[in-house]
């Protein structure tokens, strides 16, 4: 296995909300709680979970766009928080992000050529910007003429490719893709995912792919981490996780994949929205109110993420699975 | 792989778009009418430097209160026998000067303040906004009276008073619009490749709120013209003998029963320029917005 390139160690992040009354304390939302995650060089790590589970917060923390309340993010063994200015600039160049909605991620006032070369100017990368621009447009399959047009002249899929080209401009090592296809038309999703796969090979990238869609994960990821309510509940290689999910939440997610000819599914559908998915937290496992396998211990004790089996590739945070 | 991803069909939107954005941009009727009116006012003001039909300050009591077209006085004469058209032409200088500088003061101070509030959030935002509330509650007229007391009444006092009174309005509008833009993904993207907040504000936020700012500036310009007229009416604006639309209106009031036309022309000049500037603002906004240009 390759070396870790990005690592989160016991990372927590809470957000303070505006105070409800003049004298009251400001309520806090615990977006992430004690998250440990390793991204190995060259792999595609999937982070999956429902909305509000902290996926995007984790992505922003990994990118250094936000600081954890506690814990540490390391890039190649160096703590991001203590990096020098020069170190940070290098870090910015080596990690780039693409967003869910390509309509919102491109400045509508700038031409495509300017948008894509903007990271080069910002990071003072001394290559010939026009040559690089032509390379990038070619890599994402857009015509060279695209550079003189505005983002709104393109379709959603094309815009996402512009965003990908911009992210690749500074030659990053890590590409974080935050729901890269969920805002796109179904007909161009597969195409965009294949493009990302090809670019990963071509540019030698490590990818962190965030999604709520397990079928997307299955398509592109090597390893998957499942998040629920601000913590990681299960990790493992994608095939293992799909064939033998351990955590009841993972099973729920898998059962939610639509199939053309589905057999009976493992978990009943009654595990809809109940309380507990939000940031409020009492003692015990946060999935307990929705869990079909719940025991008394689940309400009393919060399960830790423990590794399963011999090679330590899989871990799960569940009392039922760990016993 | 998974069944949901099996169809990898040709992206139908890949067909090249032939038109360039510049061919599609259209100049709207608003822009044409607004620009024509504003150009005419500017032209009148410029021409007045070198030529007016009569000397605008020349008093000829025997020719007082003559009607339209009397002996070459196209718009007649006022109660001192001065030529109304000449007075209006010179008055346009005063109006434009005050409008441009007052709005300039408001923009130059208000936009950075609003941007600062939107970018920094927290206690700084609170202090900027509460301070602007205090200023907002302070009427421009009162400020003008204060300034006139301190520096003497005149064009510059009126201009500063109007400009300062508009700072909180501009700051508020800027903050509101900038807050939305600061939330967008392209701002996060800019941070991800190392751009700071100042750069982001100037490069990404200001262009994207420019339509709001342009409209606000033209509304304020129009309001500044009215405010100047009001201040001149109260004697706090341009001092005699400097011609001013507001003072012409004020002086015409005395003779309204006798010669209503005397009040009509300065009033018309004010109304037309306010309309013209508003139309121009709308037109520029439509022209600048690439998305709107696309649809038209």
């Amino acid at each position: 296995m390759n070396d870790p390139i990005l690592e989160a160690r016991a990372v927590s992040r809470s957000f303070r909300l505006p105070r409800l009354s003049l004298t009251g304390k400001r309520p806090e939302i615990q977006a992430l709680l004690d998250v440990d995650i390793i991204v190995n060089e060259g792999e595609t790590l999937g982070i999956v979970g429902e909305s509000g589970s902290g996926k995007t917060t984790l992505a922003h923390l990994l990118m250094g766009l936000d600081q954890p309340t506690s814990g540490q993010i390391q890039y190649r063994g160096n703590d991001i928080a203590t990096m020098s200015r020069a170190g940070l600039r290098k870090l910015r160049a080596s990690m780039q992000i693409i967003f869910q909605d390509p309509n919102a991620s491109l400045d509508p006032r700038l031409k495509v050529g300017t948008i894509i070369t903007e990271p080069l100017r910002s990071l003072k990368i001394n290559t010939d910007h026009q040559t690089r621009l032509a390379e990038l447009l070619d890599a994402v399959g857009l015509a060279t003429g695209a550079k003189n047009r505005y983002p709104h002249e393109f379709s959603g899929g094309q815009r996402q490719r512009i965003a990908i080209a911009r992210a690749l401009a500074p030659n990053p090592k890590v590409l974080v893709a935050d729901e890269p296809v969920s805002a796109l038309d179904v007909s161009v999703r597969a195409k965009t995912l294949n493009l990302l796969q090809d670019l990963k090979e071509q540019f030698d990238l490590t990818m962190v792919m965030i999604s709520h869609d397990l079928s997307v994960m299955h398509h592109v990821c090597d390893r998957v981490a499942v998040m629920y309510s601000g913590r990681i509940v299960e990790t493992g290689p994608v095939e293992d996780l799909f064939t033998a999910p351990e955590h009841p939440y993972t099973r729920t997610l898998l059962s939610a994949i639509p199939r053309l000819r589905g057999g009976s599914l493992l978990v009943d559908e009654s595990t809809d929205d109940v309380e507990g998915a939000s940031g409020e937290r009492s003692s015990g496992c946060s999935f307990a109110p929705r869990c079909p396998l719940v025991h008394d211990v689940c309400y009393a004790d919060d399960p830790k993420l423990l590794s399963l089996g011999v090679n330590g590739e899989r871990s799960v945070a569940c009392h039922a699975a760990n016993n | 792989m998974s069944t949901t991803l099996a169809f990898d069909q040709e992206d139908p939107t890949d067909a090249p778009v032939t038109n360039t954005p510049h061919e599609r941009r259209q100049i709207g009727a608003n822009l044409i009418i607004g620009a024509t009116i504003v150009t005419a006012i500017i032209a009148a003001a410029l021409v007045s430097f070198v030529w007016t039909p009569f000397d605008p300050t020349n008093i000829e009591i025997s020719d007082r209160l003559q009607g339209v077209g009397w002996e070459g006085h196209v718009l007649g004469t006022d109660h001192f026998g001065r030529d109304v058209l000449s007075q209006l032409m010179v008055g346009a200088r005063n109006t434009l000067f005050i409008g441009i500088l007052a709005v300039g003061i408001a923009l130059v101070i208000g936009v950075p303040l609003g941007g600062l509030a939107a970018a920094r959030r927290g206690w700084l935002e609170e202090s900027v906004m509460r301070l602007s509330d205090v200023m907002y509650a302070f009427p421009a007229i009162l400020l003008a009276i204060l300034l006139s007391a301190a520096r003497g009444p005149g064009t510059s006092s009126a201009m500063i008073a109007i400009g300062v009174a508009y700072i909180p309005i501009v700051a508020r509008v800027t903050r509101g619009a900038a807050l939305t833009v600061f939330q967008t993904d392209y701002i996060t993207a800019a941070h991800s490749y190392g751009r700071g907040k100042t750069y982001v504000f100037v490069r990404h936020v200001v262009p994207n709120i420019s339509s709001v700012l342009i409209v606000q500036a033209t509304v304020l310009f129009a309001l500044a013209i009215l405010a100047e007229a009001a201040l001149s009416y109260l004697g706090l604006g341009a001092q005699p003998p400097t011609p001013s639309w507001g003072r012409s209106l004020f002086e015409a009031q005395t003779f309204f029963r006798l010669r209503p036309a005397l009040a009509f022309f300065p009033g018309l000049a004010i109304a037309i320029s306010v309309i013209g500037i508003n139309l121009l603002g709308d037109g520029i906004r439509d022209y600048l917005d690439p998305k709107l240009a696309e649809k038209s």
Side-chain angles (χ1 to χ4, degrees):
Chain A
M1 191 188 269
N2 287 322
D3 293 336
I5 186 164
L6 257 182
E7 197 173 346
R9 288 192 176 173
V11 165
S12 299
R13 178 73 170 101
S14 57
F15 294 100
R16 289 178 138 197
L17 303 178
R19 76 187 83 228
L20 299 172
S21 71
L22 211 62
T23 50
K25 275 181 79 176
R26 297 177 65 176
E28 273 191 16
I29 287 272
Q30 194 79 40
L32 286 180
L33 191 71
D34 266 338
V35 168
D36 290 284
I37 199 166
I38 293 176
V39 187
N40 294 310
E41 189 147 13
E43 78 173 347
T44 301
L45 172 73
I47 300 177
V48 70
E50 61 196 28
S51 50
S53 59
K55 297 172 301 208
T56 301
T57 308
L58 181 58
H60 284 189
L61 288 172
L62 287 174
M63 293 273 308
L65 290 172
D66 190 11
Q67 275 70 48
T69 316
S70 67
Q72 223 183 48
I73 307 284
Q74 295 185 344
Y75 179 75
R76 293 194 198 278
N78 300 315
D79 185 1
I80 287 181
T82 61
M83 274 189 185
S84 64
R85 278 183 90 88
L88 263 179
R89 181 185 294 170
K90 272 173 88 178
L91 180 79
R92 293 270 178 249
S94 45
M95 288 200 283
Q96 283 293 303
I97 186 165
I98 51 181
F99 298 93
Q100 174 173 7
D101 182 2
N103 302 319
S105 65
L106 306 172
D107 187 337
R109 295 276 171 170
L110 300 181
K111 288 181 180 171
V112 169
T114 317
I115 290 175
I116 296 177
T117 52
E118 185 59 14
L120 299 176
R121 279 188 296 278
S122 173
L123 297 162
K124 301 190 172 62
I125 295 168
N126 293 320
T127 51
D128 181 45
H129 291 181
Q130 288 309 311
T131 320
R132 182 79 181 141
L133 174 61
E135 269 173 37
L136 290 163
L137 283 173
D138 184 54
V140 298
L142 289 168
T144 333
K147 66 182 177 189
N148 293 321
R149 298 203 250 131
Y150 289 94
H152 66 88
E153 296 175 65
F154 295 88
S155 71
Q158 288 172 320
R159 276 181 231 183
Q160 194 58 293
R161 281 187 262 162
I162 296 166
I164 293 170
R166 171 181 63 191
L168 293 176
N171 221 343
K173 296 274 173 279
V174 182
L175 186 64
V176 176
D178 187 356
E179 306 256 13
V181 296
S182 50
L184 299 183
D185 221 55
V186 181
S187 61
V188 294
R189 279 188 189 177
K191 210 177 172 187
T192 310
L193 285 175
N194 289 338
L195 174 72
L196 277 174
Q197 291 277 71
D198 295 346
L199 292 172
K200 179 180 178 269
E201 301 292 319
Q202 194 183 334
F203 288 83
D204 215 7
L205 294 169
T206 305
M207 280 217 295
V208 178
M209 172 84 74
I210 294 169
S211 183
H212 59 257
D213 187 347
L214 278 171
S215 51
V216 167
M217 291 287 154
H218 199 173
H219 194 61
V220 294
C221 296
D222 303 316
R223 239 156 34 89
V224 174
V226 181
M227 290 192 73
Y228 182 78
S229 187
R231 65 185 76 196
I232 291 174
V233 294
E234 185 166 8
T235 63
V238 65
E239 284 304 330
D240 298 3
L241 207 99
F242 267 60
T243 46
E246 288 291 343
H247 198 281
Y249 179 62
T250 315
R251 293 184 209 174
T252 317
L253 278 180
L254 283 170
S255 73
I257 302 179
R259 272 164 239 249
L260 285 179
R261 204 172 307 182
S264 68
L265 297 170
L266 214 142
V267 188
D268 66 342
E269 302 292 329
S270 64
T271 48
D272 290 337
D273 269 339
V274 200
E275 77 279 24
S278 70
E280 280 177 60
R281 191 177 297 279
S282 47
S283 66
C285 176
S286 49
F287 190 60
R290 292 170 68 178
C291 185
L293 306 173
V294 65
H295 291 288
D296 292 343
V297 63
C298 300
Y299 288 107
D301 192 20
D302 196 8
K304 297 270 170 292
L305 189 66
L306 298 171
S307 61
L308 283 178
V310 275
N311 52 8
E313 273 192 320
R314 295 195 63 183
S315 19
V316 65
C318 179
H319 292 299
N322 282 337
N323 292 332
Chain B
M1 283 290 157
S2 169
T3 45
T4 47
L5 291 158
F7 37 84
D8 186 353
Q9 64 178 46
E10 198 54 42
D11 183 353
T13 50
D14 269 357
V17 183
T18 44
N19 302 21
T20 70
H22 299 287
E23 287 163 349
R24 289 182 174 208
R25 274 194 188 187
Q26 286 186 357
I27 295 176
N30 283 353
L31 191 62
I32 295 169
I33 301 170
T36 312
I37 294 173
V38 172
T39 312
I41 297 166
I42 294 172
L46 290 178
V47 166
S48 76
F49 280 105
V50 290
W51 176 84
T52 48
F54 292 87
D55 181 351
T57 53
N58 184 35
I59 294 173
E60 205 70 68
I61 296 295
S62 56
D63 294 347
R64 64 200 292 260
L65 297 174
Q66 295 300 332
V68 170
W70 183 82
E71 281 191 3
H73 294 278
V74 179
L75 299 181
T77 60
D78 70 2
H79 57 292
F80 288 134
R82 296 174 297 192
D83 181 51
V84 171
L85 179 61
S86 306
Q87 287 237 320
L88 287 182
M89 282 172 71
V90 179
R93 291 192 324 224
N94 191 47
T95 298
L96 288 176
F97 180 68
I98 287 195
I100 290 168
L101 283 175
V103 172
I105 290 172
L107 286 179
V108 164
I109 302 175
V111 170
L113 269 183
L116 189 72
R120 289 280 175 251
R121 312 302 313 261
W123 64 268
L124 192 66
E125 180 184 30
E126 284 296 314
S127 6
V128 169
M129 293 334 285
R130 294 297 80 79
L131 193 71
S132 81
D133 280 348
V134 172
M135 279 173 65
Y136 195 63
F138 208 76
I141 301 276
L142 195 60
L143 202 64
I145 294 171
L146 275 175
L147 272 172
S148 299
R151 342 179 33 247
T155 314
S156 62
S157 295
M159 185 187 79
I160 295 172
I162 296 167
V164 171
Y166 290 167
I167 291 174
I169 302 179
V170 173
R172 238 157 219 293
V173 167
T174 306
R175 171 180 162 272
L179 275 180
T180 346
V181 179
F182 269 118
Q183 299 294 320
T184 56
D185 286 343
Y186 56 84
I187 301 297
T188 315
H191 289 317
S192 85
Y193 49 73
R195 290 297 193 192
K197 284 199 163 169
T198 316
Y199 181 91
V200 159
F201 181 69
V202 174
R203 170 87 170 183
H204 296 292
V205 179
V206 171
N208 279 292
I209 64 171
S210 63
S211 53
V212 181
L213 289 181
I214 287 170
V215 172
Q216 189 63 43
T218 54
V219 169
L220 288 181
F221 196 110
L223 285 175
I225 291 177
L226 291 175
E228 189 273 336
L231 290 177
S232 298
Y233 185 91
L234 294 173
L236 296 169
Q239 294 303 300
T242 312
S244 142
W245 292 353
R247 233 196 37 259
S248 297
L249 201 59
F250 166 64
E251 289 168 0
Q253 182 183 262
T254 327
F255 305 94
F256 191 69
R257 301 285 292 274
L258 215 57
R259 283 269 177 266
L262 206 53
F264 179 71
F265 290 116
L268 189 68
I270 293 169
I272 287 181
S273 39
V274 169
I275 291 170
I277 289 161
N278 278 328
L279 286 176
L280 182 68
D282 281 357
I284 292 177
R285 182 201 53 197
D286 293 351
Y287 181 74
L288 281 184
D289 194 330
K291 278 189 203 153
L292 278 173
E294 166 98 341
K295 280 173 202 142
S296 56

